[in-house]
Amino acid sequence: MLLGLALSSAVLLYVILNVQEKPWQDILTALSTFTAAVVALWLGVRQQVRDRRQDMLRATLVAAFLLPRIDTANSRVRRLHNLLNRYDDLEADRSAEIAWFEDVKGTTLAIGLNVTLDQLQALTPLPDNCAFRLARATALIDEIARTLGDGRGEYWTDELTADNRSTFQSFWSKCALEAQQLLFHINLNCKAVAGERSALAPGDTWGT
């Protein structure tokens, strides 16, 4: 559209500068072309602004919908990370390790972030890569749950060596720390957006 506007402007300028040699029909044609290009440009920009506004409205509504879930997940991941860091205090006590493992597993399963792909896509207009941060945090939590598997505390203490247990604990702790940091920023972004748009502004619709 910008290229068409520039070409039309050049044609119009050329015709005006050579008005003595050109019939008025050429001038009118150039004016019509220029006007059509301006109108097309205006309509395109107007549609883009409208689309961005609709995308941001949808992102705001989804952020407000997910905010309680993200807030809960944030606190539970923080608890999980603190729990994982207490592993070294168990001092290889079998019963304490069994209880610790069951607590880790229960806390992980209770996080319950459960964000759909459509919801992630809706959040893409939000600042600071909020959607990508949320996708990464969800993947980290899922990875902890996957590696925990269906094992019970007895398997943790009786089937795995001390080195294996230490490796798993270190991996889970790193995942939980990164997820905690991501969810902290996501929570702030969603709260900021939901606070700015607590209600629909006049003219906000889902129509085009």
Side-chain angles (χ1 to χ4, degrees):
M1 288 183 295
L2 292 176
L3 179 60
L5 180 60
L7 291 174
S8 300
S9 301
V11 171
L12 178 62
L13 181 61
Y14 175 79
V15 170
I16 292 175
L17 292 176
N18 296 274
V19 65
Q20 294 86 357
E21 303 175 7
K22 298 293 183 181
W24 285 103
Q25 291 86 347
D26 290 347
I27 297 178
L28 293 176
T29 300
L31 285 172
S32 299
T33 303
F34 177 78
T35 302
V38 170
V39 170
L41 176 63
W42 177 78
L43 290 174
V45 171
R46 181 189 180 196
Q47 186 61 46
Q48 289 178 357
V49 171
R50 182 177 295 178
D51 290 344
R52 282 197 296 268
R53 186 179 184 186
Q54 294 298 323
D55 290 343
M56 192 60 196
L57 173 60
R58 185 165 183 256
T60 302
L61 294 175
V62 172
F65 174 76
L66 292 177
L67 186 55
R69 197 181 306 175
I70 294 171
D71 198 29
T72 300
N74 185 34
S75 62
R76 289 178 178 172
V77 170
R78 185 167 58 250
R79 180 183 183 277
L80 175 63
H81 183 246
N82 292 335
L83 179 62
L84 288 166
N85 285 341
R86 290 203 297 267
Y87 178 74
D88 291 336
D89 299 334
L90 302 179
E91 297 180 351
D93 182 278
R94 182 177 184 276
S95 60
E97 285 207 31
I98 290 174
W100 174 87
F101 180 85
E102 296 293 348
D103 199 4
V104 166
K105 187 173 182 179
T107 303
T108 301
L109 296 177
I111 292 174
L113 197 49
N114 298 329
V115 180
T116 67
L117 180 60
D118 286 342
Q119 290 169 336
L120 287 174
Q121 291 174 337
L123 294 176
T124 52
L126 297 187
D128 297 330
N129 292 322
C130 186
F132 296 100
R133 288 175 185 262
L134 185 55
R136 174 64 177 167
T138 303
L140 289 167
I141 295 167
D142 288 346
E143 185 63 15
I144 296 175
R146 185 190 68 80
T147 50
L148 279 167
D150 298 324
R152 301 185 62 82
E154 291 79 2
Y155 172 83
W156 172 260
T157 56
D158 299 343
E159 300 295 331
L160 297 180
T161 66
D163 287 342
N164 290 147
R165 295 197 297 271
S166 179
T167 299
F168 274 114
Q169 179 271 338
S170 178
F171 172 71
W172 294 335
S173 182
K174 290 178 181 178
C175 289
L177 176 60
E178 184 179 351
Q180 177 186 340
Q181 293 170 341
L182 291 169
L183 286 171
F184 175 78
H185 291 288
I186 294 165
N187 199 28
L188 290 179
N189 285 336
C190 288
K191 283 182 177 179
V193 172
E196 290 173 1
R197 298 290 298 272
S198 58
L200 297 183
D204 285 342
T205 65
W206 289 108
T208 50

